Amino acid sequence: TNPSDLVSDSLEYDFCSVSLTNDAHATTSERINRLHRADSEISEIEIEWLSKARHHKLRKRRLDKAASLFNDSSRDKEWIQAAERFGVLSNPATPSSVASFLFNTPKLDKVKIGLYLSKGPKEKYPFISEVLTEFCKLFSFEGLSFSEALRMFLSTFRLPGEAQCIDRLMESFASRLFEVQLLGHRLEQTQSVEKAMLEPPRDNTDCDSVNANERVGALDPPALTHQPVLPFKNADAAYILSFSTIMLNTDLHNPNMKEERRMTLEQFIRNNRGINDGADL
């Protein structure tokens, strides 16, 4: 007999003998219980992942159904009630939950989103007016220029054609944009003060050699070293420029307008002169 064959047979026997030895005197009931325990150990490892996967799949299916109803329903009440039943919206639906649905749900008809958000007047549609406010709050606009912020806002829906609808959307956009600008200014000033307070005091032992201007206000917050990205003095200035920009865009790209009648750069600047609280932008 080849010694290597003996080693191979021994290893194979030792490997197999584990289960044979364990089950040699085990009853059928014990063997079944052992299998159940092994199965339960696997389930404990995978149960959380499987639960999350099922929840995600169910959530996606419900979102797809709610999106389909939003796109096809002629009445707002129908898709909102259905979305409440699916658990897609809070029950009862709140302006913030509807705004989040419109902002985050894929496959929604952008034309219908624009039509829904722009409904008015506020007195007739108070709930939708609150939805529009909450919808605008979902945009940060931090660090963006005016045109970048406007492009981001308009990328989430299709702008309606009626001037009153555009007016309502631009007013809400401008309010949010100005709010973000104010928050940015306050944060910048706070950081400037913190930086100044954390700096160690200067050593001014040689008073004669130190300029008086350098000694005074060593711990005062430094002046802002750069201009803010957004230059608006109030929300009205942002609103007027927003609406004016939409009108400019329509004017420039309307195929039915003759070239000689399109707005020029000089005309656009003249139309927006003095809109920033009496000053020019």
Side-chain angles (χ1 to χ4, degrees), residues 147 152 165 190 195 204 255 275 278:
S147 60
M152 177 187 287
C165 294
T190 301
K195 181 181 178 182
N204 293 335
I275 66 172

Side-chain angles (χ1 to χ4, degrees), residues 97-117:
S97 67
V98 174
S100 180
F101 171 78
L102 298 176
F103 186 85
N104 295 305
T105 305
K107 300 180 181 179
L108 292 183
D109 187 339
K110 290 190 175 184
V111 173
K112 293 205 69 172
I113 296 176
L115 290 172
Y116 176 79
L117 290 174

Side-chain angles (χ1 to χ4, degrees), residues 162-176:
E162 294 184 18
Q164 289 182 332
C165 294
I166 297 174
D167 183 84
R168 283 186 280 271
L169 291 167
M170 291 302 100
E171 185 176 10
S172 293
F173 163 75
S175 296
R176 175 57 181 165

Side-chain angles (χ1 to χ4, degrees), residues 181-197:
Q181 175 183 290
L182 289 179
L183 291 174
H185 286 180
R186 290 168 186 163
L187 178 61
E188 190 176 58
Q189 290 172 354
T190 301
Q191 290 174 342
S192 297
V193 171
E194 290 176 350
K195 181 181 178 182
M197 295 301 292

Side-chain angles (χ1 to χ4, degrees), residues 184-242:
H185 286 180
R186 290 168 186 163
L187 178 61
E188 190 176 58
Q189 290 172 354
T190 301
Q191 290 174 342
S192 297
V193 171
E194 290 176 350
K195 181 181 178 182
M197 295 301 292
L198 289 173
E199 288 179 352
R202 300 175 183 176
D203 185 7
N204 293 335
T205 53
D206 188 2
C207 298
D208 295 334
S209 62
V210 178
N211 188 289
N213 292 330
E214 294 180 355
R215 294 198 306 269
V216 177
L219 291 179
D220 289 344
L224 299 181
T225 57
H226 62 276
Q227 291 294 324
V229 175
L230 301 173
F232 304 111
K233 294 183 179 180
N234 51 44
D236 287 343
Y239 159 70
I240 294 172
L241 184 62
S242 301

Side-chain angles (χ1 to χ4, degrees), residues 36-74:
H36 281 314
R37 282 199 300 273
D39 188 47
S40 66
E41 288 173 3
I42 294 173
S43 298
E44 287 175 4
I45 295 172
E46 297 180 346
I47 186 95
E48 186 177 356
W49 181 87
L50 289 172
S51 177
K52 288 181 178 179
R54 290 193 191 101
H55 177 75
H56 177 74
K57 188 174 182 180
L58 181 61
R59 170 79 176 172
K60 185 177 183 302
R61 191 181 303 152
R62 289 175 175 175
L63 277 174
D64 289 344
K65 197 168 184 179
S68 180
L69 285 170
F70 172 83
N71 295 336
D72 299 335
S73 298
S74 57

